[in-house]
Structure formats: structure tokens, C-alpha cells
Amino acid sequence: MTGTLLFQSLVLGVLLGGLYALLAAGLTLYFGVMRVVMIAHSAFLILAAYLAWFFHQQTGMDPLLSLVITVPLFFLVGVGMQRLLITRLRPATLTMMSVLLTFAVALFIEGMIGFVWSGTQRRIQLPYSGASIEFFGARIAVVKLVAFALAALALAGLYLLMKHSRFGQALRATIQHREAAQLVGIKTDRVAGFGFGLGLATAAIGGTALSLDATIYPSLHWHWIGPLMAIIVVGGLGSIPGAAIAAMVLGIGQSLLQVPLGTTWAQTIFYVALFATLMLRPQGFFGGRLAQRF
Amino acid sequence: MRNASDTRLPATTPAGSEEGGTTRSARWSRGRVARVAALVVCAVLVLSFPSMAPNAYILSAGIVVASYACTATAWNFMGGFTGYVSLGHAAFFGLGAYGTGILIRDLGLPSFVAWLLAGVLVLLVTIPLGIAALRVRGASFVIVSISFVLILLLVFQAWGSFTGGSDGLVVPRPFPDLLRPEHHRVFFYLFTALLAVMLLAWWLIDRSRFGTGLKAVREDEDKAQALGVPTRNYKLVAYVVSATFTALAGGMYALWFGDLDPIFQFSIMLGSYMVLMALFGGVRHLYGPLLGAVVVGVGLEYFKLEFGDTQLHLVATALLLGLVVLFMPDGIIPAAKALAKRFGPQDSSIREISAAELQERNLTASGTPSSTPSGTTTGRTVADDEGEDER
């Protein structure tokens, strides 16, 4: 019996870890291209979830279709944010000030969501909301599977884009060495803007996936930003594979710990991992040179 | 021999160099007198605020602003000197508040003994926390500081049997026989006294070798380390001092307000207010956080009064923080100085008199008769004879 429970939470952990991995990949992108820690990432995540809910509310169509609108929209917002806000900061204090700036953006989004849609908790009711399938004795909600599939597809797409396209090469070159990338003719400013947009697009996808099976409210993003930040520090700032692995490990850990400890205490695993990382390897477990100085 | 490009002599003073020195020191002491006078006027204004406040609401708003000023100044021990932005100082505020409350509840200590003891406890707790957090710099440090608040919020909400959880923790009033307005008045003075101690400590550190070391960390940590500044220990001391003062402000708040809730004590908003206020006023200035707290704090209280419970105060805070970060990251004190300079007389880098005229003026100013043959220097410009010693 406990074996089934264990397997059940393991599967749920993998599903949760997939979503964490996608979101952490977005955070890593921002950090890679601009050395910016984007506190507003999870606020955009919640905003996307609200947009999906609103889309469903207004049109009655499946919230997944809202991706057609939100992904390009968030991409443009990301490019605009990089161009209009982040680049205005002084290079010397960019890292610190960008944290404050994106923090302000997060507060702004939280406030505007609360103002427009009120603080009431929202949830999408779908025909397949209650459905679940049996998988080797574990019951898995269909919405969680859909969310995971969405996250996995987006991550795979991101991987292909980064590894096998000219734009991906330019992006990786910009992350690795900005000046050198400029010397070989890469327009690093434009690439950095697109990188930012890509990161925000992951928030749009993640938010839509989240909206399928979560109750959303404006201040929910604080529950996401802590774990996501812990993931990227544990994984090593700037390393996308590191972030994905850390996300999986910690997501599964959280899911397993929920059984004996309950949801609240299980969340502390992220912070325990964060402090363990700081004491043992401040640069993160998978980070390269990049992470050391930040 | 004096050169035409020699500007050591103040050209406008009619007397010699020795007297130039004395007038400068006289002017400096005049500035000092003005500064002391302004300080006294401000102190009198602040101290007379409780008797001028028309009603208890205004007085309690004044106390809230005073507590903001305390927290922002306490934050500035770390943020201002070392440049490490901590978004999580609310953790120490909440620890101080809860520490005070729990010590009174469980050990039955007198209120202010519990308050001091809570401060000492936070000081001890901060040492290992600081060692862990200060292993990283920049963005990672901010992440760690935010995680302090988030983790403590989780723990204090979940551990209801010890902290009261979401039901809150009632802290007994230290002066049970005082009426409410009197109670407010006493606490206004207590907060002001705490603030005065903090400002004095900041001023002392600012002038010390220790403070110089911290500022070196802010400007370039690697270079400071290379020059032999014990950066880690200095940062740790600054962090501990900052956290302890924040905890004392939190404990004072607990004694005043009497009711604690994890949501409000361990709130990210509280930590961000500290940063916003300090940045708004100017982190490099002694009174910067205080000024920021007065402006932003009054604004926040007004917003709460006017718009009540809507989410607009989040939006307003966000816009203000964004504007400050984008357009005046050094705060309003330097921004106002720069503005005043813009409307004042323009200083230009181009000299509009020739070298000969300048030399003539310098010589007549110092009272010695011109010994230079006038023919050799006429018509020459400063650029020509730079570095030459002409006789």
C-alpha cells in the first residue's frame, strides 16, 4: 500500500518537476543574456494563468487555446521590457538594481491583477477536470498530464531552438561571451532582447499549464518565486541543464516529503537545499564559470 | 614662482593666502552652525509632533512612519555601506517582534527586558545566517535574503502551537494603565529614541575605519580584499548590526501594536518598503532613509486612508520603486542637489580670460607688485603655457 503511495507521489513529483524545469529554464535565460534575476517571472506566470482563465470565461473555449495569444504577447512584452527598462540601468549596478526593478514589475502585476479581477480565488472548470487515468496503480489527473506534456514540449522546443538554430547559436554565444559574440558579428542587443522574450514566453506556457489544475489568486506568485529562485541557485545560475535537473530533483523531493510532512513543511525542502548549496558549493551544483561571481 | 595657471589663490578674496584659509574655515563653521541649527529645528519639530497631532489617528500614523524610519535606517547599515541589497530584512523585523512577544508570553519577562533579549537572540541567530548568506554576492544574495522571509513565513504559519499561527499572537501592553493616546505618545518617543541611537551609530561608523572598509566593499569588493580589508568579517558585522537594529524596531512595534500575524510581520512588502525608502532618500546619506521613510511612509498611510483595501497601493509602491530605480538610483538628496546646481551659476571648464589677465589679477590680489615683464605674457593663452615656469 505504501509502495503505491510512494509511486503515486513519485509520479506527481515528476509532473511537478517538469513545470518547475520549464519555469527555471526561463529564469536561467534572463540571467544568461542580461545577468538579471527576474523576480517578476512568477508574477508573469500568474498573469498568464489569469489570462487563460479570463479567455476561458469569456469565450468558453479550452484555456490551452489562449496560448495562441499569450505566447506572442509575452514574447513582445519581454523584448520591450529588456529594451525599455533593463538596458536603462547602469551597468555597474545592473544586477542589484534589476532585482529591484523586476520586483517592482512583480508588485505592479500583482496589484493590477487584484485591481482588475479582484482578489477572489479563481479556478477553471473543464469537462476533463475531474478525469484521471490509471498508470501502474497510480492515479494521475488528466490536467496534470496535460500540463506536464505542455511543459515538456516547450522545454524540448527550447532545447532544439538553442542547439540547432542559428538564432540559438547566437543566443548561446551571447550568454557565453558578449564581447566575443559582438566581434563575430552577432547583434547582441537584439539577441538579448529575444532571449528575454523567450524567457517570458516560457512563463506564458507555464502559466497556462498551471491554470488547468490550480486555484489562482493574485499573491500566488510569492509561493512560486521562492522555489524557483532556490532551483536556479542550486542548479547554478546560468546553467539551463543544471536548472532542469535541480527542478526535477527538488520537485520529486517536495512531492515525496508531502506524504509524511504535509504541504507546508514540504516546501521548506527548497530552502534547505538552498542553504546546503550555499554552504557546500556557493556556485551551484551544475553551474559553470558564470555562477561564481553572482 | 607663481604661474599664470596657478589657481591655488582664490582670485576673489582681496587678502593674502593665509587669510584665505581663515575665511574658508569660518565659512565651514558657518555651514556647520546651519547644519546644527537645522538638526535642532527638525528634532524640535519631531519631538513636538505628538502634541501637535490633532487626533489619535494622526499620532498612530506618525508612529508607523517612525517605525518605517527605524527599519529603513537599520536596513541602511547593510544596504548603504556595503551595497548589498537585502529584500528580506522583514525576516529580522518579524523575528524581533515574535521574539519579544514569545519571551513575554512564555517566560513572563518584563516587556523591555524581553525586547532587549529578543534583540540579543536575533544578533546570535544572524551570525550563522550571515555567514551562509554572505558567501554569495549580488543577485544570489538578494535571492537568499528573500528566501529568509519566505521560509520564516512558512514556519511561523505552520508552527501554530508555538507562534500562534494564523490566529496571531497577542503581546501584552507594557503600560497597561495608560490610555490609548498616552500610549501612542510614549511609543512615539520610544521609536524616536531608537531612531536617534541608530542615526548616531550610523554616523560613527560612517566616520570610522570600519565604515571606510565597508564602503570599499561597496565600490569594488575584489580590490578591497586585495588591499587587505577583511571583507567577510566587515560585511558580517554590518549585517549583524543591521539585523539587530531591525529586530529592535520589530520588537518595539510588537510592544506598541500588541497583535502579531505572520502574514504582516514576515511580509515581503515590509522588506521592500525598507529598500524603497532607503533608496528614495539616498543610501549614502545619514538622513536619506529617514527622509525616504517620511515621504514614502506618509504616502503609504495616505493611500491606505484614501483607497482603503484595494490593490492600488501595491501598484503605487511598484511605480514609485520603478521610477526611483530607473531615474534616481542615488536617491532624492543627490537628485535635489544636482537640480539646485542646474539652476545655480553654471560652472564651465573653459577659462574665459587669458593667462596674462589671470596672472595680473592674481598678483594684484596677493598685493605684490608685478615683477614680470608685461611684454612676454601678453596675448598668450592658458593652453600655451601649461606646465611652463615663466619668469
Side-chain angles (χ1 to χ4, degrees):
Chain A
M1 205 52 221
T2 41
T4 328
L5 193 60
L6 200 68
F7 182 65
Q8 168 96 33
S9 30
L10 196 66
V11 171
L12 287 182
V14 171
L15 297 184
L16 184 65
L19 193 52
Y20 278 142
L22 174 66
L23 293 171
L27 272 178
T28 307
L29 264 181
Y30 308 125
F31 187 82
V33 292
M34 287 299 291
R35 304 289 181 275
V36 160
V37 173
M38 174 86 161
I39 307 270
H41 191 60
S42 60
F44 277 105
L45 170 82
I46 304 302
L47 179 64
Y50 262 94
L51 288 175
W53 166 80
F54 186 66
F55 176 81
H56 177 70
Q57 188 86 348
Q58 295 295 310
T59 63
M61 284 190 277
D62 195 289
L64 288 180
L65 289 175
S66 71
L67 282 174
V68 179
I69 307 165
T70 51
V71 169
L73 180 73
F74 274 43
F75 182 80
L76 290 180
V77 170
V79 175
M81 215 175 131
Q82 194 268 348
R83 278 302 168 84
L84 300 176
L85 296 179
I86 305 290
T87 46
R88 293 188 67 103
L89 297 171
R90 278 182 215 157
T93 53
L94 178 77
T95 309
M96 285 291 191
M97 286 301 169
S98 69
V99 171
L100 293 178
L101 188 62
T102 57
F103 181 85
V105 172
L107 278 186
F108 182 78
I109 292 173
E110 181 187 341
M112 286 314 276
I113 289 177
F115 184 62
V116 175
W117 288 303
S118 85
T120 319
Q121 301 198 335
R122 310 284 186 187
R123 199 183 172 94
I124 297 178
Q125 286 301 331
L126 288 171
Y128 52 92
S129 278
S132 60
I133 53 168
E134 289 272 327
F135 179 70
F136 294 113
R139 294 187 68 81
I140 304 155
V142 171
V143 281
K144 280 200 196 302
L145 262 181
V146 174
F148 177 76
L150 203 56
L153 273 179
L155 257 185
L158 191 62
Y159 178 82
L160 289 179
L161 185 71
M162 294 284 279
K163 286 280 182 193
H164 297 289
S165 73
R166 281 187 69 80
F167 167 69
Q169 279 182 334
L171 190 60
R172 281 186 294 139
T174 308
I175 290 174
Q176 280 165 8
H177 202 299
R178 210 186 173 91
E179 285 80 19
Q182 274 166 354
L183 282 177
V184 295
I186 294 169
K187 292 181 176 124
T188 52
D189 284 341
R190 179 185 291 182
V191 169
F194 288 165
F196 227 82
L198 266 186
L200 217 54
T202 68
I205 298 171
T208 311
L210 181 72
S211 75
L212 291 178
D213 81 324
T215 305
I216 49 177
Y217 48 92
S219 62
L220 180 63
H221 68 110
W222 296 119
H223 294 275
W224 280 83
I225 197 66
L228 287 178
M229 291 293 165
I231 286 169
I232 62 167
V233 172
V234 172
L237 284 176
S239 154
I240 290 184
I245 295 169
M248 263 307 170
V249 171
L250 291 177
I252 292 171
Q254 183 194 12
S255 190
L256 289 180
L257 281 179
Q258 269 176 2
V259 183
L261 294 179
T263 44
T264 311
W265 288 102
Q267 270 214 10
T268 52
I269 185 184
F270 290 102
Y271 306 110
V272 172
L274 175 65
F275 284 101
T277 309
L278 289 186
M279 295 319 280
L280 300 173
R281 266 180 78 87
Q283 72 271 35
F285 282 99
F286 307 96
R289 294 168 298 108
L290 248 185
Q292 304 224 342
R293 300 182 50 82
F294 297 96
Chain B
M1 191 62 201
R2 195 166 287 127
N3 188 300
S5 58
D6 183 0
T7 52
R8 268 172 302 175
L9 257 189
T12 46
T13 40
S17 61
E18 296 85 8
E19 291 195 36
T22 53
T23 43
R24 198 177 305 146
S25 81
R27 203 184 307 145
W28 188 66
S29 75
R30 210 183 305 146
R32 192 180 216 185
V33 166
R35 204 175 296 172
V36 169
L39 189 65
V40 168
V41 168
C42 285
V44 167
L45 274 180
V46 167
L47 291 180
S48 60
F49 171 76
S51 40
M52 292 193 301
N55 55 43
Y57 167 72
I58 298 288
L59 189 53
S60 72
I63 296 173
V64 172
V65 171
S67 84
Y68 281 147
C70 284
T71 53
T73 309
W75 181 89
N76 207 28
F77 279 95
M78 189 66 192
F81 282 131
T82 67
Y84 276 61
V85 173
S86 160
L87 270 171
H89 259 50
F92 305 119
F93 186 88
L95 278 181
Y98 267 95
T100 307
I102 289 173
L103 283 174
I104 295 175
R105 187 193 66 186
D106 287 356
L107 300 182
L109 293 176
S111 298
F112 287 93
V113 176
W115 173 68
L116 274 179
L117 199 56
V120 173
L121 283 178
V122 171
L123 189 151
L124 294 177
V125 167
T126 315
I127 294 174
L129 280 184
I131 291 175
L134 291 169
R135 284 174 68 95
V136 286
R137 297 180 190 177
S140 302
F141 177 79
V142 186
I143 294 175
V144 172
S145 73
I146 294 178
S147 74
F148 281 153
V149 184
L150 294 174
I151 192 172
L152 284 173
L153 176 62
L154 277 181
V155 168
F156 274 73
Q157 276 184 327
W159 198 4
S161 56
F162 183 58
T163 63
S166 308
D167 296 336
L169 177 75
V170 176
V171 182
R173 279 175 163 201
F175 314 108
D177 42 347
L178 281 187
L179 289 174
R180 191 150 275 277
E182 282 304 308
H183 189 253
H184 283 337
R185 185 169 306 204
V186 170
F187 268 94
F188 184 81
Y189 287 124
L190 283 173
F191 270 117
T192 315
L194 183 61
L195 180 64
V197 171
M198 282 186 209
L199 289 175
L200 185 67
W202 206 93
W203 184 74
L204 287 174
I205 292 179
D206 191 31
R207 298 163 68 88
S208 69
R209 190 182 168 81
F210 171 56
T212 313
L214 290 178
K215 284 182 236 170
V217 169
R218 176 180 70 196
E219 300 308 333
D220 192 327
E221 188 162 347
D222 290 325
K223 282 199 192 96
Q225 204 164 13
L227 289 171
V229 177
T231 49
R232 197 200 73 163
N233 292 351
Y234 272 21
K235 283 189 296 182
L236 187 61
V237 172
Y239 194 63
V240 169
V241 168
S242 177
T244 308
F245 274 128
T246 314
L248 289 177
M252 192 68 88
Y253 178 86
L255 290 177
W256 170 62
F257 198 71
D259 191 7
L260 303 177
D261 187 315
I263 295 261
F264 295 112
Q265 307 314 316
F266 297 103
S267 117
I268 300 240
M269 289 307 295
L270 189 63
S272 64
Y273 286 155
M274 294 180 206
V275 182
L276 171 60
M277 287 163 184
L279 276 185
F280 187 83
V283 290
R284 295 180 183 209
H285 299 262
L286 174 59
Y287 299 112
L290 171 59
L291 185 66
V294 171
V295 176
V296 179
V298 169
L300 282 173
E301 286 301 305
Y302 174 77
F303 235 91
K304 272 182 200 152
L305 189 66
E306 201 75 355
F307 299 102
D309 256 353
T310 62
Q311 300 283 311
L312 277 178
H313 72 275
L314 286 183
V315 177
T317 310
L319 287 179
L320 189 59
L321 184 59
L323 290 178
V324 168
V325 168
L326 279 177
F327 297 110
M328 42 182 204
D330 294 329
I332 43 172
I333 293 181
K337 271 185 188 158
L339 196 68
K341 215 172 179 183
R342 218 158 133 189
F343 288 117
Q346 217 168 18
D347 29 280
S348 96
S349 56
I350 303 162
R351 263 195 219 141
E352 282 157 350
I353 49 175
S354 73
E357 285 166 356
L358 185 66
Q359 190 183 30
E360 200 62 35
R361 206 166 75 185
N362 283 352
L363 288 175
T364 50
S366 61
T368 46
S370 170
S371 60
T372 320
S374 57
T376 56
T377 52
T378 40
R380 295 181 66 179
T381 62
V382 179
D384 289 330
D385 61 12
E386 224 165 49
E388 268 180 49
D389 189 17
E390 55 172 73
R391 175 179 293 278

